[in-house]
Amino acid sequence: MSITKDSDEECINLFDNSDLEVGSYQSIPRDPAEKLDNEVPQGRHLGVFSTTVLFVSRIVGSGIFSTPSSIFVNCGGNTFIFFAVWLSTGLFAYAGLYIFLEFGYHLPRSGGRKVFLETAYRRPKLMMSVTIACFSITSGMCLAGSIVFGKYFLKMFNFDKDTYNSGNASKYVSIGIVLTAAAIHGISVRVGIKIQNAFGIMKMALIMLMCLTGTYAIFFYKPIAPTQWDRPTFSFHENSTFSINSLASAFITAFFCFSGWDSVHSVTSEVKNPSRTLPLSGIFSLTICAFCYTLMNVAYIKVLSYEEISEAGPLIGSVLFEKLFGPTLGGTLLTGSVAISAASNVLVVIYGISRVNQEIFREGYLPFSKTLARNWPKDAPLFSLLICAILTCIWIVILPSEGESYNYLVSVEGYGNQFFLLLVAVGLLIFRRQKEYVKNETAVRASTTGVVLIIILLFYLAVSPFIGNQEKNRVANLPPYEMMSLIIISLGTIFWIIKFKMLPFLFKYKLTPVTSILSDGLKITEWVHTK
């Protein structure tokens, strides 16, 4: 067997059994199913505090201050359905967390759902790995947090509504925070974590502020004009439209607000003692966030009317603070706190996505993977960070500035995430049969009932957006959000067919994985042609 390969590094003889050295290739091509080891050059440096900061900063980002408006409208202005959606998504977030914790216990390496999916779905060979890799790269963006930061940052400095809601100024600010976050994490892992933790501490203060705001609104605030609180709990607003389609959108958007519970598994290889750290920090963080979300949502209903909620759009948090505490304290100081929260969210999201990207590039499926997987210029994967940052900036430039674009982006990202979460939940049941382990053999185990229920809900969320009026699911000339997500997913499968099936068949060669070690000790895979 011969290997043809263009490289500036020298290959070892295929039958040389010498030890693998830095800058060299493994002497014998490895099995494609064999995965690279769990360790990365950065080492395991994330303890319980840093991991909790990652969880909380990822969960409490921009969602609770921007999405309740669209969720409430999609619930038809029905207060009971609104809170039922939030309660259900909170419970299913716990169920989803345990699915990831059980998977993570047996597969303690960075990559999150990518690692879980490619382990559970082994046939057709490499199809799931390549599809989820392509989807993760193309959808790996920090859009929501950056867009909200841009709007709240300008609102904090009292720019007029046209400037922060429909002009390009908020786009420039959003692009600025994305590039700044990429630079912070791209220069040094240690420095980036310290800055991230500092923002995390400020976010903890914001969480306390959320709790105090909710408590004040519930027990002390006396509205002058009628609000949603004064309407019958089970009634629909006369100007609202409620359907199966809109309810699905409400669930998907609410899931988006809790979505950070799966984020830390993207950096498992950097977590100290992950089998202990992840359950502790995950459950604690999700409980804190669920409690704060409940108080904030009660505050929205108690203080604002249906019209105020629906017109606020992504700035509903700012409208609430301004009405509670006045234009100076509420409109400036507290709105600035939300901007800081969104900035913290951007830092955490881009950090987590870059690690997923790096794990994908290490597998060598995509073009230029060897370069993009590198830790450069020091110990941080700058190229993986830039992929996330550049894609985010492109979408920010392309989409209109109005609030509808924000809701569209949330739905596109949310639908794709729910689709793959459905596959992860089913995959856990498959994985249990593959491994054939019993309850006493794992320290963390998801409830089978909870897994089945989340499968049912996620199947409903996957199907229901196709029912009813599709015009509500699109923005500008783009396809409905569910179709956009499926198009992105399909592109990954098409790429797998072309690279790993069609071209090898047409040109009579095989693709063989060969392992290489880069100068910093990072192991990567390259697919080479074999006759």
Side-chain angles (χ1 to χ4, degrees):
M1 177 174 62
S2 63
I3 292 181
T4 58
K5 179 168 177 31
D6 296 325
S7 174
D8 56 352
E9 295 172 322
E10 190 174 349
C11 288
I12 301 179
N13 184 289
L14 272 178
F15 301 100
D16 178 5
N17 292 322
S18 59
D19 292 336
L20 184 62
E21 298 176 354
V22 173
S24 63
Y25 290 96
Q26 192 172 9
S27 56
I28 300 176
R30 66 175 177 82
D31 184 343
E34 177 189 348
K35 291 299 167 186
L36 300 171
D37 62 52
N38 302 338
E39 302 307 316
V40 292
Q42 294 94 321
R44 295 187 180 273
H45 56 92
L46 299 175
V48 174
F49 175 75
S50 294
T51 307
T52 301
V53 168
L54 282 174
F55 265 120
V56 173
S57 297
R58 180 62 181 87
I59 299 172
V60 183
S62 56
I64 189 60
F65 304 110
S66 54
T67 61
S69 173
S70 64
I71 294 173
F72 189 71
V73 171
N74 282 325
C75 291
N78 187 300
T79 303
F80 175 79
I81 296 177
F82 176 70
F83 282 107
V85 166
W86 280 101
L87 176 62
S88 300
T89 51
L91 293 175
F92 281 108
Y94 276 102
L97 175 64
Y98 270 93
I99 290 174
F100 273 59
L101 289 174
E102 182 175 339
F103 257 132
Y105 178 82
H106 294 279
L107 304 167
R109 64 175 182 269
S110 294
R113 65 184 181 188
K114 171 190 173 293
V115 175
F116 307 153
L117 287 170
E118 64 187 11
T119 302
Y121 300 95
R122 298 177 180 271
R123 294 289 183 271
K125 190 176 183 180
L126 293 180
M127 186 188 76
M128 181 59 72
S129 297
V130 176
T131 300
I132 186 64
C134 292
F135 178 80
S136 296
I137 294 294
T138 53
S139 66
M141 296 169 282
C142 48
L143 279 164
S146 59
I147 290 174
V148 169
F149 175 82
K151 293 182 182 297
Y152 274 80
F153 182 83
L154 294 176
K155 179 73 166 61
M156 178 178 64
F157 289 103
N158 297 318
F159 283 87
D160 59 83
K161 185 175 181 180
D162 290 337
T163 300
Y164 60 74
N165 200 39
S166 58
N168 289 325
S170 64
K171 288 188 175 184
Y172 301 143
V173 177
S174 299
I175 291 172
I177 187 63
V178 171
L179 296 178
T180 300
I184 288 172
H185 281 307
I187 294 172
S188 170
V189 172
R190 307 280 176 189
V191 172
I193 290 296
K194 287 181 180 179
I195 294 175
Q196 188 168 276
N197 284 349
F199 271 94
I201 292 172
M202 288 188 280
K203 179 159 283 189
M204 295 296 182
L206 178 61
I207 287 175
M208 291 296 298
L209 178 63
M210 288 168 58
C211 294
L212 292 174
T213 299
T215 302
Y216 172 75
I218 295 170
F219 296 105
F220 302 103
Y221 178 76
K222 295 181 179 179
I224 299 175
T227 68
Q228 184 62 31
W229 190 265
D230 301 312
R231 293 177 59 86
T233 304
F234 299 93
S235 67
F236 292 92
H237 195 273
E238 53 272 15
N239 295 328
S240 67
T241 56
F242 178 74
S243 65
I244 293 176
N245 188 307
S246 68
L247 182 61
S249 297
F251 269 112
I252 289 171
T253 308
F255 262 119
F256 167 78
C257 295
F258 281 101
S259 61
W261 53 261
D262 63 341
S263 61
V264 181
H265 290 82
S266 302
V267 296
T268 302
S269 295
E270 298 179 42
V271 176
K272 300 175 183 176
N273 192 7
S275 61
R276 173 183 176 274
T277 301
L278 291 177
L280 279 176
S281 55
I283 296 170
F284 178 64
S285 302
L286 195 53
T287 301
I288 291 175
C289 296
F291 177 72
C292 294
Y293 282 6
T294 301
L295 289 177
M296 282 296 293
N297 282 316
V298 172
Y300 289 132
I301 300 302
K302 177 74 180 292
V303 176
L304 304 177
S305 66
Y306 175 85
E307 289 72 21
E308 288 173 320
I309 293 173
S310 61
E311 292 174 5
L315 290 168
I316 185 172
S318 179
V319 173
L320 173 70
F321 290 144
E322 190 167 338
K323 193 165 184 180
L324 279 175
F325 305 110
T328 302
L329 179 61
T332 303
L333 180 60
L334 298 183
T335 299
S337 299
V338 177
I340 291 174
S341 173
S344 174
N345 179 257
V346 171
L347 280 168
V348 171
V349 170
I350 202 168
Y351 175 81
I353 288 174
S354 70
R355 269 46 182 187
V356 174
N357 288 352
Q358 186 180 39
E359 286 298 309
I360 291 169
F361 292 135
R362 286 180 68 194
E363 295 293 343
Y365 302 131
L366 304 177
F368 311 110
S369 288
K370 180 180 175 181
T371 299
L372 297 173
R374 289 183 181 274
N375 290 312
W376 184 89
K378 294 182 180 179
D379 59 348
L382 180 61
F383 295 121
S384 293
L385 284 157
L386 288 176
I387 291 294
C388 171
I390 291 171
L391 286 174
T392 300
C393 293
I394 290 173
W395 272 100
I396 290 173
V397 171
I398 290 175
L399 285 172
S401 302
E402 290 78 8
E404 295 302 322
S405 298
Y406 175 81
N407 296 333
Y408 180 81
L409 290 172
V410 169
S411 297
V412 169
E413 182 181 354
Y415 186 87
N417 287 334
Q418 303 320 315
F419 179 84
F420 281 110
L421 181 55
L422 171 60
L423 295 182
V424 170
V426 175
L428 179 62
L429 302 180
I430 297 172
F431 180 71
R432 286 177 177 177
R433 295 191 64 181
Q434 290 174 347
K435 301 293 289 187
E436 294 183 349
Y437 60 81
V438 295
K439 184 175 181 179
N440 295 332
E441 291 178 346
T442 178
V444 182
R445 184 178 175 89
S447 164
T448 301
T449 303
V451 175
V452 172
L453 288 176
I454 202 168
I455 289 173
I456 294 172
L457 175 65
L458 291 171
F459 180 77
Y460 161 76
L461 294 180
V463 174
S464 53
F466 293 93
I467 301 172
N469 183 13
Q470 296 296 294
E471 290 302 315
K472 295 177 61 177
N473 298 345
R474 67 168 74 239
V475 64
N477 295 321
L478 295 171
Y481 69 80
E482 67 275 14
M483 289 302 301
M484 177 61 79
S485 288
L486 292 178
I487 288 170
I488 296 174
I489 294 169
S490 299
L491 290 176
T493 305
I494 293 170
F495 177 78
W496 167 77
I497 294 172
I498 293 173
K499 179 173 180 177
F500 290 91
K501 296 295 180 182
M502 185 181 297
L503 293 180
F505 175 78
L506 292 176
F507 295 99
K508 310 299 181 184
Y509 65 82
K510 294 182 180 179
L511 285 172
T512 302
V514 177
T515 302
S516 147
I517 299 184
L518 301 182
S519 58
D520 62 354
L522 183 70
K523 291 183 179 180
I524 66 170
T525 297
E526 295 184 87
W527 295 84
V528 299
H529 294 188
T530 62
K531 295 181 181 179

